[in-house]
């Protein structure tokens, strides 16, 4: 989004519906009870707008928030959100002071980071500070091996300005319910927690579940779930679709900017990949791959909604515009609403549908929506644009 403060001139926007977020959080909380839910709002709330999602999730009973970057936590604080915020990886070198200033609860899996956080807390005079110990049980991205976890847990527990807030792990295949590796990770996690306890480190609270774990693996729910994608109304994987009643929280919307008839024999857009075989009405829509409408969607057969009908993207997606084949003599006019993602009338295009066409996951679809598209809270929409 461009930063002049002027209202957007281009009629292309992303509607974010806090009521859908609240619905998803309520349904998920009921599903995982008595475990509390922390809403994961990294990557600007998976492209939805972190502050909007955070407020709606907290209103619906989320206990806290989780982010990937210190700067993402700072943004939440700048938006006036004072709920607990957990960082899902260690802060980078030099990040400890900012983390304390923003009242963020760090994850740690090394002695270096425990020392850096302790120094920042001591300097600020703000101990004892909550620290979350991450154990690697088989994802092999970040986390302490079980042996290192005992040393890190001990360092946290022994420091007067720190307190061990939780011990946690992350699941690699929770979205593949047929795999038995989730059960294996939970066994390793249990063993690691038992080792900590045997070493005299009290484990106050344990968590492991992402959305897939929360939805499909009761044994993973433990004392907290960290739900991201499901909060946005998107299933973690096709196998887990429909297990809980989720509502997509976002619509990508534009308006027809130009309409013309293209005669049989013509071809549309770069590369002339879309051949017109009968005279047809073509609508141009001011949204393109710079906005996250991926170029490969056209060849994959993606459709948009105009007037409640599914219509194909006709020809190559360009940076700022797409063209849509509306059919012969179609009643389409400049200014008509075009829905790229979301519901219009009885039809709906979901992030999962795009993910299927693109060979990716719904996460990448909403995270990939362009920064220059304004996010509009749906309740504020009347009269806009
Ligand atoms: C992103 C993330 C989550 C949330 O995952 P979803 O699949 O979106 O629910 C949970 N925990 C960690 C460590 C993460 O990085």
């Amino acid at each position: 989004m461009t930063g002049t403060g002027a209202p957007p001139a281009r009629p292309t926007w992303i509607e974010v519906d806090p009521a859908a977020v609240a619905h998803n959080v309520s349904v998920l909380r009921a599903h995982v009870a008595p475990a509390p839910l922390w809403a994961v709002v990294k990557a600007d709330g998976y492209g939805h707008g972190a502050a909007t999602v955070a407020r709606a999730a907290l209103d619906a009973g989320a206990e806290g928030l989780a982010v990937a970057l210190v700067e993402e936590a700072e943004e939440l604080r700048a938006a006036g959100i004072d709920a607990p915020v957990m960082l899902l990886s260690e802060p980078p070198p030099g990040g400890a002071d900012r983390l304390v200033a923003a009242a963020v609860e760090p994850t740690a899996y090394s002695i270096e980071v425990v020392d850096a956080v302790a120094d920042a807390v001591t300097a600020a005079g703000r101990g004892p500070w909550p620290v979350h110990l991450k154990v690697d049980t088989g994802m092999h991205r970040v986390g302490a091996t079980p042996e290192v976890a005992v040393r890190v847990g001990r360092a946290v527990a022994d420091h007067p300005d720190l307190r061990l807030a939780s011990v946690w792990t992350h699941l690699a295949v929770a979205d593949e319910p047929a795999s038995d590796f989730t059960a294996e990770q939970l066994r390793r996690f249990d063993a690691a927690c038992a080792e900590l306890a045997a070493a005299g480190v009290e484990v106050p609270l344990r968590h492991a579940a992402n959305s897939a774990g929360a939805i499909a693996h009761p044994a993973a729910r433990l004392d907290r779930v960290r739900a991201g994608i499901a909060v946005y109304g998107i299933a973690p994987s096709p196998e887990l679709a429909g297990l809980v009643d989720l509502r997509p929280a976002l619509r990508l919307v534009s308006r027809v900017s130009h309409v013309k008839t293209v005669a049989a024999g013509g071809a549309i857009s770069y590369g002339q990949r879309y051949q017109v075989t009968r005279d047809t009405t073509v609508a141009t829509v001011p949204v393109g791959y710079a906005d996250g409408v991926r170029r490969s969607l056209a060849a994959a057969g993606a459709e948009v909604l105009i007037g409640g009908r599914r219509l194909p993207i006709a020809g190559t997606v360009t940076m700022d515009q797409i063209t849509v084949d509306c059919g012969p003599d179609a009643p389409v006019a400049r200014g008509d609403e075009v829905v790229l993602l979301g519901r219009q009338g009885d039809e709906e295009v979901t992030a999962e549908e795009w993910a299927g066409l693109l060979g990716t996951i719904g996460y990448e679809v909403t995270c990939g929506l362009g920064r220059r598209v304004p996010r509009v809270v749906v309740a504020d929409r009347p009269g806009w644009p």
Side-chain angles (χ1 to χ4, degrees), residues 218-230:
R221 291 172 194 152
L222 301 173
D223 305 316
R224 168 182 303 178
V225 303
R226 307 180 306 271
I229 198 72

Side-chain angles (χ1 to χ4, degrees), residues 40 42 46 88 134 141 168 170 209-212 226-230 236 363:
V40 181
K42 59 192 176 186
Y46 293 38
L88 292 168
K134 166 96 192 273
R141 182 172 61 175
W168 67 283
H170 192 45
N210 51 7
S211 293
R226 307 180 306 271
I229 198 72
Y363 302 69

Side-chain angles (χ1 to χ4, degrees), residues 285-304:
V285 186
V287 64
Y289 61 74
D291 304 302
V293 181
R294 293 266 297 278
R295 196 168 171 280
S296 40
L297 278 168
E303 295 173 320
V304 304

